[in-house]
């Protein structure tokens, strides 16, 4: 009787456990395998050298990006400078739009004179250091003629990087309602720029690859705009993780903050230590009370950097000259040798943990089953794809597999005419004999 009663109680206790299991969902790719306790809407951490994703939390949802949008404006400007289409000394004449916006100091601005002209370098520094919004519009107008036309360039730029999850309504990242009716025609009056954390990280990744000198300005903690004139104004960098500032973090030298009511407190940061550079993106960071703040976004970024610099290092996961057992060679037709040895062309190294090195498994994919002589050493015959055995790898910010070419490791010359003749004769009789035995076997 007691056993029966216990069984009944066990079933009763099992009911809430079963109900709870209905609401527990398995982890998805966008959930972090390691919980860093980040109180953000999205976050991502990548290796700036390879684009290897080291951490990702809701990184593919399109969210408000605020002034992190200015990285695209910087990118397009630096492209134009490099191409010679724009020069640093080129002058910009203030328009009604940029004058009106620049007078609104609450928006982060350097005041522009109504009849003033400014060099592109002055405007760029104001944008990159102080996140000056009117200066950003001025650059957009200089490059494209109007901010509306500049939006098309922004779209083309990110699409060239493979980004499709974007919404652009202005060059600055402000909410359009703050543009005093000057927002680009065809965009919503309260519209705001949107992208995912992964897309922002991809932009930062390419920006640093193609224009590393962007950091020369991004790392400036303070500079005076129009120094020595009556218009002089001190521009203090909003990136408080820079050396000497309140949330200083060793190695930080960029890149761009962003804050609006819609986007919250967001940040794209980069830091370098021991020749290892990381890029971190946090979006809509809040504190323990659920309140957004400058501290919250830099605290979240610090956790990402700490995780990246302490847990990851460059590890060789596959050596050069690696040979897949059972596939040490590939056949050669009409050669002095019947086969040629093959191996990986180079080593594969990436940012990972020491524990994970042995968890990457190689799979060989050959382009052809045989080569025709003569074969030159270093001929690519296929590739090896590495995959994480437990499926806990985030991959790369640009997508794609972790691969290395497989090549021939020696030359194989073409056989001479006589050798090919006798080889052909031997092949003929071999095929003939095979046909006879098949025939005889068919009779008996």
């Amino acid at each position: 009787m007691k056993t029966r009663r216990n069984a009944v109680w066990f079933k009763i206790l099992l009911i809430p456990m079963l109900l709870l299991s209905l609401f527990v969902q398995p982890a998805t790719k966008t959930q972090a395998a390691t919980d860093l306790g980040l109180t953000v809407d999205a976050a991502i951490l990548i290796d700036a050298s390879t684009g290897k994703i080291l951490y990702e939390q809701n990184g593919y949802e399109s969210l408000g990006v605020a002034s992190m949008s200015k990285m695209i404006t910087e990118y397009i400007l630096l492209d134009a400078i490099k191409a010679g289409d724009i020069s640093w000394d080129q002058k910009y004449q203030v328009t009604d739009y940029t004058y009106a916006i620049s007078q609104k100091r609450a928006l982060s601005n350097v005041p522009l004179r109504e009849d003033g002209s400014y060099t592109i370098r002055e405007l760029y520094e104001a944008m990159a250091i102080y996140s000056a919004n009117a200066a950003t519009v001025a650059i957009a107008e200089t490059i494209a003629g109007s901010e509306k036309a500049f939006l098309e360039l922004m779209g083309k730029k990110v699409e060239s990087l493979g980004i499709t999850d974007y919404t652009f309504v202005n060059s600055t990242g402000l909410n359009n309602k703050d543009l005093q009716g000057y927002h680009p025609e065809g965009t919503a009056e309260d519209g705001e720029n949107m992208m995912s954390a992964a897309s922002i990280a991809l932009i930062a990744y390419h920006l640093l690859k193609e224009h590393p000198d962007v950091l020369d300005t991004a790392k400036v903690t303070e500079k005076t705009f129009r120094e020595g004139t009556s218009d002089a104004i001190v521009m203090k960098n909003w990136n408080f993780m820079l050396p000497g500032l309140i949330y200083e973090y060793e190695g930080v030298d960029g890149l761009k903050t962003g804050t609006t009511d819609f986007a919250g407190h967001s940040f794209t940061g980069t830091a370098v230590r021991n020749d290892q550079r990381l890029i971190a993106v946090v979006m809509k960071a809040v504190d323990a009370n659920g309140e957004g703040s400058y501290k919250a976004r830099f605290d979240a970024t610090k956790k990402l950097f700490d995780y990246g610099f302490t847990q990851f290092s460059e590890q060789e996961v596959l050596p050069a000259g690696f040979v897949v057992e059972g596939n040490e060679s590939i056949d050669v037709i009409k050669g002095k040798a019947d086969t040629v040895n093959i191996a990986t062309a180079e080593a594969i190294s990436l940012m990972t943990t020491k524990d994970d090195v042995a968890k990457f498994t190689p799979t060989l994919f050959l382009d052809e089953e045989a080569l025709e002589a003569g074969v030159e050493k270093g001929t690519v015959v296929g590739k090896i794809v590495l995959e994480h055995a437990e499926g806990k790898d985030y991959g790369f910010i640009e997508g794609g597999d972790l691969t290395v070419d497989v090549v021939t490791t020696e030359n194989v010359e073409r056989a001479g005419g006589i050798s090919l003749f006798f080889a052909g004769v031997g092949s003929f009789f071999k095929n003939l004999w095979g046909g006879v035995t098949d025939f005889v076997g068919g009779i008996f």
Side-chain angles (χ1 to χ4, degrees), residues 155-232:
K156 288 179 181 178
K157 186 62 189 179
V158 298
E159 287 175 8
S160 73
L161 304 179
I163 295 171
T164 58
D165 65 347
Y166 68 89
T167 298
F168 295 143
V169 299
N170 57 55
S171 61
T172 61
L174 288 172
N175 191 291
N176 270 353
K177 67 185 179 183
D178 291 318
L179 298 181
Q180 303 179 44
Y182 286 104
H183 59 275
E185 183 182 353
T187 62
E189 291 184 6
D190 61 349
E192 200 158 320
N193 294 344
M194 297 181 67
M195 270 189 300
S196 67
S199 292
I200 297 167
L202 181 59
I203 291 166
Y205 171 74
H206 279 285
L207 178 60
L208 292 178
K209 288 278 189 185
E210 296 179 38
H211 302 290
D213 52 325
V214 71
L215 296 177
D216 293 340
T217 307
K219 68 184 179 183
V220 175
T221 57
E222 182 179 305
K223 186 164 186 174
T224 301
F225 181 74
R226 289 261 156 147
E227 187 172 12
T229 73
S230 58
D231 294 336

Side-chain angles (χ1 to χ4, degrees), residues 16-28 31:
M17 296 173 65
L18 291 172
L19 289 173
L20 179 63
S21 69
L22 296 175
F23 297 96
V24 176
Q25 299 297 321
T28 65
Q31 293 174 321

Side-chain angles (χ1 to χ4, degrees), residues 93-94 99 112-118:
Q93 191 66 40
V94 174
Y99 172 73
L112 302 177
R113 286 185 175 272
E114 191 171 11
D115 59 349
S117 64
Y118 300 83

